[in-house]
Amino acid sequence: MKRIFLGFILVIVLQACSEKLGMNSVANTKWVLSEWPGQTMPSTTKKATLNFDADNKISGKSFCNGFGGMATIDGNTIKIGELIGTMMYCEDVGQAEKSYTDGLKSVNSFKIVDGKLQLLKDGQLAMVFTKTE
């Protein structure tokens, strides 16, 4: 009986300490793409970024062009809608830009691990972002 009680207390403590995900966990934050499993990061000084504001709006850079759109977040689920962006010709990162924005639109969950934002598609790691200023 003691073990069951201690187990119950442990579960309550762990739930209280776990980070609650939702829009508040990413609102008003800025991130830079630091890992891109299954994709080749362009060898350039240009970065891919992702910014969240407090009103479900997202924005960022897709290595060369800027983009913006809306994100719907509920718990750890995320749905990024259509993105609009600038259309400058960027020969050195053109294919990476398309892969990046297509990847953003395909993710369906996220988590924050060790201060890094992980975007997942069907439970598989798709992108990892490091927080910036």
Side-chain angles (χ1 to χ4, degrees):
M1 186 65 173
K2 276 185 175 179
R3 288 184 181 170
I4 293 173
F5 180 72
L6 289 174
F8 180 71
I9 295 297
L10 181 61
V11 168
I12 290 174
V13 168
L14 289 175
Q15 285 182 341
C17 294
S18 66
E19 184 174 347
K20 300 288 186 213
L21 293 178
M23 190 59 198
N24 289 339
S25 60
V26 293
N28 299 313
T29 59
K30 296 180 178 187
W31 306 86
V32 64
L33 183 65
S34 55
E35 297 173 45
W36 201 7
Q39 299 288 333
T40 301
M41 197 86 79
S43 58
T44 178
T45 58
K46 298 173 183 166
K47 304 288 183 196
T49 64
L50 180 60
N51 309 318
F52 294 87
D53 76 3
D55 298 320
N56 295 334
K57 292 179 185 171
I58 60 168
S59 62
K61 287 283 241 183
S62 53
F63 297 106
C64 177
N65 286 289
F67 67 87
M70 299 294 287
T72 304
I73 296 175
D74 183 18
N76 72 330
T77 63
I78 185 169
K79 171 72 175 125
I80 296 177
E82 284 301 310
L83 300 173
I84 58 170
T86 59
M87 299 187 67
M88 294 185 296
Y89 177 70
C90 308
E91 182 177 355
D92 57 334
V93 295
Q95 185 56 44
E97 284 202 318
K98 180 167 177 18
S99 295
Y100 176 66
T101 55
D102 287 349
L104 286 175
K105 292 185 285 185
S106 73
V107 298
N108 51 25
S109 65
F110 75 101
K111 56 186 172 180
I112 297 175
V113 178
D114 296 329
K116 293 187 176 191
L117 173 66
Q118 297 183 353
L119 297 182
L120 301 104
K121 178 183 179 184
D122 301 329
Q124 298 294 314
L125 186 63
M127 299 175 184
V128 179
F129 293 84
T130 303
K131 202 169 195 178
T132 65
E133 296 298 316

